[in-house]
Amino acid sequence: MAAATLSRIGLAGLAVMGQNLALNVAEKGFPISVYNRTASRVDETLERAKEEGNLPLRGFNDPKDFVLSIQKPRAVIILVKAGAPVDQTISTLSDFLEPGDCIVDGGNEWYENTERRAKQAAQKGLLYLGMGVSGGEEGARKGPSLMPGGTRAAYDYIHDVVTKVAAQVDDGPCVTYVGEGGSGNFVKMVHNGIEYGDMQLISEAYDVLKHVGGLSNEELTEAFADWNRGELESFLIEITADIFTVKDEFGSGELVDKILDKTGMKGTGKWTVQQAAELSVAAPTIAASLDCRYLSGLKDERQAAAQIFQDAGLESSFSPVVNKKQLVDDVRKALYASKICSYAQGMNLLRAKSTEKGWNLNLGELARIWKGGCIIRAVFLDRIKKAYERNSQLPNLMVDPEFAREMVERQAAWRRVVNMAIEAGISTPGMNASLAYFDTYRRGRLPANLVQAQRDLFGAHTYERIDRSGAFHTEWTKIARQNKATSKAFN
């Protein structure tokens, strides 16, 4: 095949994300070859490329022809389901790849799988990247946030492509070289964990406004649209305002009220919470959002429990006199403060893993590439970027002077919302967890001294003192019994 006809890059896997990313690459002027085992997917992609302006895209059903159609050193993006399908695709393609070629896995993969595959690829002389791709179908087509991690040389292969394909914001494309190993996949995983927290907090704000404040869907649309013009401006707030306007095509009212209250998940939120536990990083807001997804799945149990507790005499006797305008403002402040906590937890998890693995993650730069293209994109992220620019060693986002001031300014409203929800029997586990996180972190002394005393009593685990150095152990039970005996003798 003549060199002039070779494609700049290849993409294997033409499901929704792969097809749209391929079209995005072609639209940016980079000739691309695509491959899929199912011929109909290839044909569909070719037809879309033709309809969208004869984009420079060629389709292949044969893996050898696909690989040979790409200019050297070859770079092939794989966008298939995580796990075994990735290994199968790599196995198929690597038979035709040559030393120096590069594989880029763009799926939501467990970071250790990426590191395993990178080692296997290196044995064949191949370079490897694990690249998080966020933004869903629309992001893939119009500009996603990209989080590539792995061999730096591999990133250099695709740098010119990804910087054009990624979402563009005021300070550059939403892509950066994240770091070595599986860092790109790990960062995408934490991004998704933060996304879990964001969505849970927004759903709680909705729940309080609807069931405590009595807001109609029209009023909810107005509230969220107004929020989207201020500090909460973000993709998730914007789409939430839109959701309340959509009518039910099968009946009266809005569609949102007809949707079953069971939330799905694909595993990245679970991985985030597991990693937080492994690294001893507190992530209560993200964990609460995961627990709520589990509980939402128990629909039949919850309905049965509602009847059982009603039969046992549980009644909702809380009927507050609510100033709707005040409640909307309070909930806005509570949501914003809770979000700061959730993002702080995610950033702390990234920093802890970076320290463990030697990735040298730039937290401010990660916040920057999340400003566009991805699901958690928000104006708020620019302020997070600037916080880490002011202090790259910031121990917690909450103690950045600007964020600290905002937390203090909003805490009264935050507490009012949480207290009102508790009194009304409306669960707000994300906001509760965020507030508890804030209250725990800001205290100079916690009741952990009692926990340490208990551990020393039953397990001789020792304890430290505030007034002298070293580890101490006390015969608590022996001394307590002696004290009781002495007390009886005196009485």
Side-chain angles (χ1 to χ4, degrees):
M1 186 177 289
T5 65
L6 295 179
S7 295
R8 169 64 183 84
I9 196 167
L11 189 146
L14 296 174
V16 172
M17 290 292 288
Q19 190 174 119
N20 280 285
L21 188 62
L23 292 168
N24 185 353
V25 171
E27 185 181 58
K28 298 304 187 295
F30 298 101
I32 183 170
S33 295
V34 299
Y35 161 77
N36 200 84
R37 289 190 302 170
T38 307
S40 60
R41 288 287 177 84
V42 177
D43 294 338
E44 182 183 325
T45 308
L46 287 170
E47 184 61 29
R48 284 189 63 187
K50 182 179 179 181
E51 292 174 352
E52 296 184 24
N54 289 317
L55 300 177
L57 182 149
R58 293 187 294 158
F60 296 86
N61 298 317
D62 181 83
K64 181 177 180 180
D65 291 342
F66 165 68
V67 170
L68 295 180
S69 74
I70 306 166
Q71 72 180 45
K72 298 180 182 180
R74 302 180 183 94
V76 178
I77 300 172
I78 296 174
L79 267 168
V80 299
K81 187 177 180 181
V86 177
D87 291 306
Q88 292 162 5
T89 305
I90 291 173
S91 177
T92 298
L93 298 179
S94 61
D95 287 341
F96 311 108
L97 293 170
E98 301 175 11
D101 290 346
C102 168
I103 297 171
V104 182
D105 178 12
N108 275 332
E109 188 55 90
W110 176 237
Y111 83 98
E112 290 182 337
N113 286 342
T114 295
E115 297 192 334
R116 168 179 59 81
R117 290 174 186 138
K119 291 178 182 177
Q120 294 170 343
Q123 293 172 358
K124 298 180 180 180
L126 301 175
L127 305 182
Y128 200 91
L129 284 176
M131 182 172 72
V133 180
S134 181
E137 178 180 356
E138 182 179 358
R141 181 65 187 86
K142 297 180 179 179
S145 175
L146 300 173
M147 295 152 257
T151 310
R152 180 66 197 231
Y155 176 72
D156 292 340
Y157 280 14
I158 64 169
H159 175 264
D160 62 326
V161 177
V162 294
T163 51
K164 289 287 193 298
V165 165
Q168 307 293 316
V169 293
D170 57 354
D171 50 4
C174 293
V175 60
T176 191
Y177 174 66
V178 172
E180 296 288 336
S183 59
N185 291 120
F186 193 90
V187 167
K188 174 57 164 56
M189 177 199 77
V190 174
H191 163 283
N192 286 19
I194 293 171
E195 179 185 312
Y196 271 52
D198 250 355
M199 295 174 74
Q200 176 62 33
L201 292 169
I202 291 170
S203 74
E204 292 174 14
Y206 153 69
D207 202 13
V208 171
L209 292 177
K210 182 179 180 67
H211 293 106
V212 177
L215 272 68
S216 66
N217 287 332
E218 185 177 353
E219 289 172 319
L220 287 165
T221 296
E222 184 180 337
F224 277 83
D226 183 61
W227 290 355
N228 199 48
R229 291 187 283 269
E231 64 192 11
L232 289 173
E233 182 184 343
S234 63
F235 172 71
L236 286 171
I237 295 293
E238 178 185 355
I239 66 170
T240 302
D242 290 341
I243 285 169
F244 296 122
T245 69
V246 177
K247 301 294 183 183
D248 178 19
E249 62 179 314
F250 299 113
S252 60
E254 284 74 37
L255 176 58
V256 67
D257 297 320
K258 309 293 175 61
I259 296 176
L260 186 66
D261 53 326
K262 288 175 66 173
T263 306
M265 68 188 88
K266 292 186 177 179
T268 46
K270 178 180 178 180
W271 292 345
T272 303
V273 174
Q274 287 174 330
Q275 278 296 292
E278 288 285 334
L279 292 163
S280 300
V281 173
T285 310
I286 299 171
S289 70
L290 182 65
D291 287 339
C292 283
R293 293 199 181 196
Y294 293 148
L295 285 166
S296 77
L298 304 177
K299 176 66 174 178
D300 293 340
E301 284 187 45
R302 289 188 288 111
Q303 287 183 312
Q307 187 60 54
I308 289 169
F309 288 116
Q310 183 178 329
D311 293 344
L314 180 65
E315 295 181 4
S316 179
S317 58
F318 183 73
S319 53
V321 177
V322 176
N323 179 319
K324 286 187 179 181
K325 185 177 180 181
Q326 179 66 53
L327 181 63
V328 169
D329 193 52
D330 280 355
V331 173
R332 173 184 61 81
K333 292 175 180 176
L335 177 56
Y336 183 77
S338 296
K339 277 170 62 75
I340 293 173
C341 293
S342 183
Y343 280 74
Q345 293 160 30
M347 290 299 185
N348 285 354
L349 177 54
L350 289 173
R351 185 180 60 223
K353 195 67 178 182
S354 179
T355 299
E356 179 191 78
K357 301 288 288 186
W359 286 338
N360 195 30
L361 297 182
N362 183 329
L363 300 184
E365 178 68 353
L366 296 180
R368 187 195 68 77
I369 67 170
W370 290 344
K371 285 168 57 179
C374 67
I375 302 303
I376 64 171
R377 62 184 184 265
V379 170
F380 167 77
L381 280 156
D382 190 57
R383 304 191 52 243
I384 294 179
K385 181 198 77 166
K386 290 176 180 175
Y388 284 108
E389 286 176 347
R390 284 191 291 272
N391 180 4
S392 63
Q393 303 304 311
L394 192 65
N396 191 297
L397 193 60
M398 294 189 297
V399 298
D400 170 75
E402 287 193 14
F403 282 122
R405 184 177 64 254
E406 292 182 335
M407 299 285 280
V408 172
E409 290 172 350
R410 287 156 179 76
Q411 67 157 340
W414 196 5
R415 296 181 196 282
R416 283 195 297 270
V417 170
V418 169
N419 287 335
M420 188 177 291
I422 290 171
E423 288 188 65
I426 301 295
S427 59
T428 53
M431 288 187 182
N432 290 14
S434 291
L435 182 56
Y437 180 75
F438 168 68
D439 281 339
T440 302
Y441 189 77
R442 70 179 177 80
R443 292 183 64 191
R445 184 166 174 80
L446 295 170
N449 54 320
L450 178 59
V451 175
Q452 282 299 87
Q454 292 169 333
R455 293 180 71 245
D456 189 52
L457 185 151
F458 64 67
H461 294 296
T462 73
Y463 57 88
E464 295 176 278
R465 294 178 59 101
I466 61 174
D467 55 354
R468 60 192 67 191
S469 60
F472 297 85
H473 170 62
T474 297
E475 296 291 339
W476 299 90
T477 302
K478 178 181 177 181
I479 295 172
R481 286 174 179 168
Q482 289 174 346
N483 290 341
K484 287 178 184 178
T486 302
S487 179
K488 286 182 180 179
F490 278 104
N491 291 333

